[in-house]
Every structure is written in C-alpha cells, then in structure tokens.
C-alpha cells in the first residue's frame, strides 16, 4: 500500500492541471473535500469519479466533514441544519425515540455520501461539553453528559460502518475543556490526568472506530512542551495505551494556528510524534506539492489498516 502519509485538499470545484498531475503522479493517501469544492450533486459525483480515475483506485479515500448545522460542507446542496447536540438533548427527553431517529438520520446521511462517492465522514465529535467550552465546539458536541457522548458516538461509528462508510472520532483525547479556538491559537489545559481521564477521555476509551483525529491542545500536566498532535508522550501513553485506540491516527489540520511551525515542520512533527497521517486543509496546490515531496510513505501499520479499509469497502 504505497502512498504518502498525507491527506490533501483541493482549491475549487474542478481539478486544476496541477491537481490532476498531483493525483495521477504522486501518491497522497486521501483527499478531503470542503464547501469550496462542492457546488451541486452532479458536480460532486463528477469530481469524486475523476479523483478515482486519476489515482487508479476505485476505493481511494475521499473524506468530508459533514457534521450538520454549523459544520456542514453540503449546506448549500442538502438541507442539513441538525446538530449532534440536538440528539443529545432528545436523548435526555426520550431515549427510545432519539435512538430510532438517530439511526434513520445516520443511514440517510450515509446514503447521500455514498451516492456522492464519499467513503469517510469525520464524525462523531466525542468532545464533552463544559459550561465554558469554546463555541468552536458548541453544538457539535452531543452533550455535557459523557455517557451520552460515548453512546451516541459509538452508534455513529456503527451506523456509518453498516453503510460502508468509516467514521473518524475526534478530537482525541478530548477538546471539551478548551476555552479558546485552536484554529486561531493553541488552547492550554491545566487539568490533571485524573480529571481529564474521568470526563474528557471517557468517550474515546476502547472505541471501535478505525480512524481518529487529534486535538491541537496542550495539556500542561501531561506534556508541558507539545500539543497532542506533536506529543509522543500523549499519543503513546494516553491515546494508544490508556484509551487503547488501535486505528489510524490523523492529525487535525496542520495549517491551523495552534501549531506554531511551518506546514512541512508541522506535518513531520505530527508523524514523528505518532500520527499516521497528516491532514492539510487549506487547498493551496504549491503547499500540497511541497508536502507530498517532503513527507514519507505510510508505515507498515498504516498500510495494513488501509488494506483493511479497502477490503471493508468490497
């Protein structure tokens, strides 16, 4: 499974000449799509089809972040103004009805994504809300109740899988304690391991998800130098050992301002720390090319897990 440890992003609704060259000649692990790439149902189908022709891979990973409401890349194409928090509140009011409706919702969303040629959705958000959680998480979280977050998160992963789509749990090991936005600056959390383990880490423990995305957060009591995405200590001792996550670990976007180095350094530090793939979301073709030339091929573990993903799609 020879591909670079990089998920690239695109500039617009059509592939540029350079993007065509990148997809056909280079070996990105996958592509992530954003609102800027999505104009209509037919246009998206044509785009995903072209990506797979150029990569000569019918199962090439094409990813979207379709959470609903505030984070909906398909907002202008499908009516999708529902949030994870809506289901968390409904769970409290009527659990039976909530679970039936939630299953129907994930199945319906999955059908749309499959029809568009998308095989990975970066849900569920497993961050547990607090009173002062930054609004960048907000209603993307199911609940302040860690048990509701864990149950609805596990069901999301299962229902996506039943529809031949993989989910990505995020933001491991938990973003709910953050009062600042990691797109703009590095959040710093002073809580002890015990406090974090009791609440924030809880929904991520022993998840059956095959993919997880890191949090760009500095937990000063666990690693006072590096944020999770760049922390060997946290990835090895917390994510892999304590939470027992056994799948492919993807960095959050390496162009976010929470990471202080240039793109190539951010990507390399992510991989050196234990992320299996670096995620780049800004869509600049020159940066895509620089990154793909600079980063290594995926390791044996990631290759094995990618092969399992391809077999799952049969």
């Amino acid at each position: 499974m020879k591909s670079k440890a990089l998920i690239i992003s695109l500039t617009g609704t059509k592939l540029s000449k350079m993007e065509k060259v990148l997809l056909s000649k280079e070996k990105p692990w996958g592509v992530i799509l954003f609102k800027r790439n999505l104009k209509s149902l037919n246009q998206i189908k044509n785009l995903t089809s072209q990506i797979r022709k150029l990569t000569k891979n019918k199962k090439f990973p094409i990813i979207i972040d379709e959470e609903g409401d505030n984070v909906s890349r398909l907002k202008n194409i499908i009516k999708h103004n529902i949030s994870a928090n809506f289901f968390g509140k409904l769970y409290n009011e009527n659990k039976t009805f909530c679970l039936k409706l939630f299953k129907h919702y994930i199945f319906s969303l999955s059908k749309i994504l499959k029809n568009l040629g998308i095989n990975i959705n970066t849900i569920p958000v497993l961050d547990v809300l607090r009173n002062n959680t930054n609004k960048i998480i907000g209603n993307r979280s199911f609940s302040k109740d860690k048990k509701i977050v864990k149950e609805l998160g596990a069901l999301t992963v299962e229902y996506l899988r039943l529809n031949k789509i993989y989910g990505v749990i995020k933001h491991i090991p938990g973003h709910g304690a953050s009062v600042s936005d990691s797109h703009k600056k590095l959040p710093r959390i002073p809580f002890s391991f015990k406090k974090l383990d009791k609440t924030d880490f809880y929904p991520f423990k022993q998840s059956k998800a095959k993919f997880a995305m890191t949090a760009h957060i500095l937990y000063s009591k666990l690693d006072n130098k590096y944020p999770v995405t760049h922390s060997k200590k946290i990835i090895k001792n917390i994510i892999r050992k304590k939470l027992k996550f056994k799948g492919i670990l993807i960095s959050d976007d390496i162009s976010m301002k929470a990471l202080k180095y240039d793109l190539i350094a951010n990507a390399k530090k992510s991989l050196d720390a234990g992320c299996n793939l670096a995620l780049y979301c800004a869509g600049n073709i020159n940066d895509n090319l620089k990154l793909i030339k600079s980063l290594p091929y995926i390791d044996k573990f990631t290759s094995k897990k990618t092969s399992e993903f391809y077999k799952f799609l049969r």
Side-chain angles (χ1 to χ4, degrees):
M1 196 60 59
K2 200 173 183 184
S3 58
K4 291 294 185 85
L6 176 69
I7 297 168
I8 65 166
S9 49
L10 308 172
T11 304
T13 55
K14 291 181 179 178
L15 294 172
S16 68
K17 285 183 182 178
M18 288 297 287
E19 285 171 341
K20 288 176 183 177
V21 170
L22 190 152
L23 288 164
S24 59
K25 303 294 184 188
E26 304 294 343
K27 298 283 183 183
W29 184 89
V31 167
I32 187 165
L33 301 177
F34 288 91
K35 198 174 178 181
R36 64 178 181 266
N37 310 124
L38 313 171
K39 188 170 70 175
S40 69
L41 295 175
N42 284 337
Q43 173 265 327
I44 299 167
K45 285 183 197 178
N46 289 336
L47 180 62
T48 57
S49 176
Q50 194 176 18
I51 290 168
R52 293 204 166 97
K53 280 178 185 172
L54 288 164
T55 57
K56 297 182 176 65
N57 182 354
K58 290 178 182 177
K59 297 170 184 174
F60 185 76
I62 299 180
I63 306 159
I64 197 167
D65 187 4
E66 190 55 38
E67 300 175 18
D69 202 19
N70 295 338
V71 183
S72 173
R73 312 308 182 192
L74 295 168
K75 203 166 204 170
N76 294 337
I77 301 162
I78 61 170
K79 293 288 182 185
H80 195 196
N81 57 356
I82 204 162
S83 69
N85 198 250
F86 165 82
F87 287 107
K89 287 175 180 174
L90 187 61
Y91 184 103
N92 268 328
E93 293 170 20
N94 189 328
K95 180 181 175 179
T96 304
F97 178 62
C98 171
L99 296 183
K100 283 182 181 176
L101 185 65
F102 188 64
K103 183 176 183 180
H104 177 74
Y105 164 71
I106 296 293
F107 272 57
S108 298
L109 179 59
S110 299
K111 188 177 179 181
I112 292 166
L113 297 182
K114 271 178 69 180
N115 185 46
L116 294 174
I118 293 161
N119 50 23
I120 299 173
N121 190 7
T122 63
I123 60 171
V125 172
L126 297 186
D127 306 321
V128 182
L129 277 178
R130 283 184 166 78
N131 290 331
N132 59 346
T133 299
N134 187 272
K135 63 181 181 181
I136 198 66
I137 299 298
N139 66 4
R140 298 167 65 194
S141 168
F142 288 110
S143 180
K144 290 180 181 178
D145 185 328
K146 64 182 183 180
K147 291 182 180 177
I148 292 176
V149 175
K150 188 174 181 72
E151 183 173 354
L152 290 178
L155 287 173
T156 304
V157 170
E158 181 186 342
Y159 294 157
L160 288 171
R161 183 185 57 79
L162 289 172
N163 288 280
K164 294 288 181 181
I165 290 177
Y166 267 6
V168 181
I169 56 172
K170 62 188 186 187
H171 304 83
I172 200 166
H175 210 298
S178 169
V179 296
S180 56
D181 179 358
S182 55
H183 292 85
K184 297 174 182 177
K185 66 177 186 177
L186 178 64
R188 297 172 182 270
I189 308 298
F191 298 163
S192 66
F193 169 79
K194 189 176 179 182
K195 186 170 183 175
L196 290 163
D197 189 52
K198 186 180 177 183
T199 302
D200 298 80
F201 298 172
Y202 178 83
F204 293 95
K205 290 179 180 179
Q206 297 179 314
S207 171
K208 292 180 180 178
K210 305 298 182 182
F211 297 106
M213 184 181 291
T214 59
H216 291 337
I217 285 182
L218 189 138
Y219 293 107
S220 57
K221 294 278 174 64
L222 307 182
D223 186 335
N224 62 7
K225 189 174 181 184
Y226 295 112
V228 173
T229 307
H230 288 167
S231 173
K232 288 182 185 179
K233 202 182 290 185
I234 293 176
I235 289 175
K236 182 182 177 183
N237 298 330
I238 305 294
I239 294 174
R240 294 301 188 185
K241 287 187 179 176
K242 296 284 185 186
L243 305 185
K244 294 183 166 49
F245 177 68
K246 296 176 181 176
I248 290 175
L249 188 64
I250 305 169
S251 77
D252 203 346
D253 178 17
I254 54 168
S255 63
M256 286 162 65
K257 289 178 182 175
L259 303 183
K260 66 179 181 179
Y261 303 97
D262 62 71
L263 285 175
I264 291 170
N266 280 340
K268 286 184 173 179
K269 284 178 180 292
S270 301
L271 298 174
D272 289 345
C275 291
N276 306 113
L277 299 170
L279 173 68
Y280 172 61
C281 298
N284 181 291
I285 184 61
N286 292 324
D287 288 333
N288 273 317
L289 287 167
K290 283 178 193 172
L291 284 162
I292 209 155
K293 297 286 188 187
S294 304
L295 297 187
Y297 287 101
I298 57 173
D299 59 18
K300 286 182 182 178
F301 170 85
T302 313
S303 181
K304 179 175 179 285
K305 294 295 179 182
T306 304
S307 294
E308 289 171 6
F309 170 60
Y310 288 163
K311 284 176 187 173
F312 159 81
L313 293 175
R314 278 179 190 167

